[in-house]
Amino acid sequence: MGLYKELPESLTEVDIIIAGGGTAGCIVAARLTDADPNLSILVIERGSNNDLPTIAYPLFFMQNIVAGSKASIFYQTAPEEQLDGREIIVPAGGVLGGGSSINLMMYTRAQRSDFDGWDVPGWSADEMLPYLKKLETYHGVDHNGTHGHDGPINVSTGTFTSTKFQNEFLSVVEETG
């Protein structure tokens, strides 16, 4: 149907409404239409379209923070004992594409210990791995078979990789245990 800022008058009924046009909402909509092309699906996104310069050119992301861009929503956490009482600012996507539009083109998964730490049946790292793999098209060497190769999210190192930064980061991680 397309991208609209207002519902067309001819649209009076839909089969499914998805609140949020972030990565998850868009993938759910795409998977539902793949499963049944006859479904009428409406994705509602509160934020603007993601055709902003600060999204098209990630270098401008700092402008989002400084100028209070419409693309980003900033949440403040409660003081954390583990951070000596500091509060953290957490950016979230307030735009079509959600966090994937504002995340500086970085992709991360939760660690195994994050999933396992929930201690909730059905949500362990081993139980979640098939779904994480189904999400990705990984364009790298998959030594451990932990990545997917035909999902809707493309994951790669891109055309430029700062190995100096990567090595320094890994060195600090090893030093801190």
Side-chain angles (χ1 to χ4, degrees):
M1 180 178 229
L3 183 64
Y4 293 91
K5 293 186 180 200
E6 293 183 18
L7 290 177
E9 288 185 27
S10 61
L11 184 65
T12 58
E13 184 176 323
V14 296
D15 298 314
I16 298 170
I17 298 174
I18 297 173
T23 303
C26 291
I27 289 173
V28 168
R31 294 247 165 106
L32 287 169
T33 57
D34 287 346
D36 184 352
N38 295 316
L39 285 175
S40 173
I41 300 171
L42 175 64
V43 177
I44 299 173
E45 171 56 49
R46 174 182 68 111
S48 63
N49 192 357
N50 63 1
D51 58 357
L52 302 168
T54 54
I55 293 172
Y57 303 99
L59 178 63
F60 296 154
F61 178 75
M62 290 307 292
Q63 180 182 345
N64 284 344
I65 295 170
V66 175
S69 169
K70 297 175 186 174
S72 303
I73 301 168
F74 298 95
Y75 296 102
Q76 187 169 355
T77 68
E80 295 289 337
E81 179 183 331
Q82 297 86 345
L83 298 173
D84 196 27
R86 289 179 294 164
E87 300 169 345
I88 296 181
I89 303 298
V90 180
V95 64
L96 186 62
S100 293
S101 289
I102 65 149
N103 67 1
L104 299 175
M105 300 177 73
M106 292 187 287
Y107 169 82
T108 60
R109 278 190 188 168
Q111 299 177 79
R112 293 185 61 83
S113 60
D114 292 330
F115 290 114
D116 292 341
W118 293 341
D119 196 24
V120 175
W123 288 86
S124 72
D126 288 334
E127 291 167 304
M128 291 302 297
L129 185 59
Y131 300 103
L132 296 170
K133 290 170 71 171
K134 191 173 182 180
L135 178 70
E136 305 176 324
T137 293
Y138 185 71
H139 300 278
V141 179
D142 186 10
H143 296 291
N144 302 321
T146 57
H147 292 284
H149 302 284
D150 59 359
I153 303 294
N154 284 282
V155 180
S156 73
T157 58
T159 56
F160 174 78
T161 302
S162 174
T163 54
K164 179 181 178 188
F165 171 78
Q166 290 173 349
N167 292 337
E168 288 176 6
F169 178 81
L170 292 173
S171 174
V172 170
V173 169
E174 286 177 11
E175 286 177 25
T176 59

